[in-house]
Each structure stands twice: as structure tokens, then as C-alpha cells.
Amino acid sequence: MVKALVVDDARAMVDGICRMLTLLDIQADPAYGSRAAIIYLNGQTPDVVLMDLNMPGLGGMDVISYMTREPHLADVPVIVVTSDDQPETAERVRALGARALLIKPVKFDDLETVLKKIGLI
């Protein structure tokens, strides 16, 4: 079974995306904030990470940068989930290595399409 880590400081967003992933037969593990994500990533390697960008303290880009420096996480695909739909943001996250960008609120069909595109379903 595919395992996903869903990272956002908004509980409702994490819980909603986790429910959608479960409907796609993906095990969805929540991380309510960037620090919780780093703790999780120190002990586990998911098949995909869905990452919010704007969080208090460490932001999503910081966590993505951390992942690229860690050998066991460097190849884990990251899907950025953000309300920031500016072209510059898309360029920055792709430069960091993110495989896709989803704009909030996340629609089930868009999530399914992205996961198919990167070969997880």
C-alpha cells in the first residue's frame, strides 16, 4: 500500500486530504505542522509527501530543503498544496524539486490526477 504524509498547520486541511487519500486506497499519515513532519520523516519514509508552504516557524520550503539533503528522503516525491497560485511560487517549488502543485481548496479529481501522473496510483 502506498503511504503518504500530509503536512499542514490547518487540521481541517490535513484531515480532509487524508480522507481523500484513503478513498484512493492510500495510507495517509497526518503531520500538523512542519516540526511534526520532520519528526515523522526522521523515523519513516513515505512514498509521497503533500506539503503546505505557509506554516508558522519552519515553512514547507524548509521541510522540502531538509528532505533533499537526507539520502533516505531525497527521492520521495513532494506535492505542494498551497493557496498561493502565483507563477513565481510554482517556479520556486519546482526548483526545490517538488513534483506537482495543488491549489487549495484541493479537489478530489485534481489530487487523483496528480497521483496518477507521478505513478502512485
Side-chain angles (χ1 to χ4, degrees):
M1 175 178 269
V2 173
K3 182 167 58 170
L5 175 64
V6 181
V7 184
D8 199 310
D9 59 315
R11 281 186 165 288
M13 184 61 62
V14 171
D15 295 345
I17 293 173
C18 285
R19 282 192 296 277
M20 286 189 260
L21 290 168
T22 301
L23 291 172
L24 294 167
D25 290 326
I26 294 174
Q27 177 187 327
D29 295 334
Y32 303 107
S34 54
R35 293 198 189 283
I38 289 180
I39 291 167
Y40 177 99
L41 292 167
N42 277 324
Q44 299 185 56
T45 304
D47 298 302
V48 64
V49 175
L50 289 92
M51 178 73 62
D52 181 32
L53 289 183
N54 299 315
M55 296 180 278
L58 294 173
M61 288 194 193
D62 297 316
V63 178
I64 296 169
S65 293
Y66 166 79
M67 290 177 64
T68 61
R69 292 189 306 270
E70 294 296 318
H72 73 285
L73 299 171
D75 294 328
V76 174
V78 175
I79 299 168
V80 169
V81 181
T82 183
S83 56
D84 184 348
D85 62 355
Q86 298 302 310
E88 306 83 45
T89 301
E91 289 172 26
R92 285 194 346 241
V93 298
R94 284 204 168 73
L96 277 175
R99 300 279 297 275
L101 183 116
L102 289 171
I103 302 300
K104 295 178 184 179
V106 176
K107 297 180 183 81
F108 182 83
D109 291 341
D110 294 340
L111 176 61
E112 184 178 31
T113 299
V114 165
L115 291 169
K116 284 180 180 176
K117 183 177 175 182
I118 61 176
L120 291 174
I121 58 172

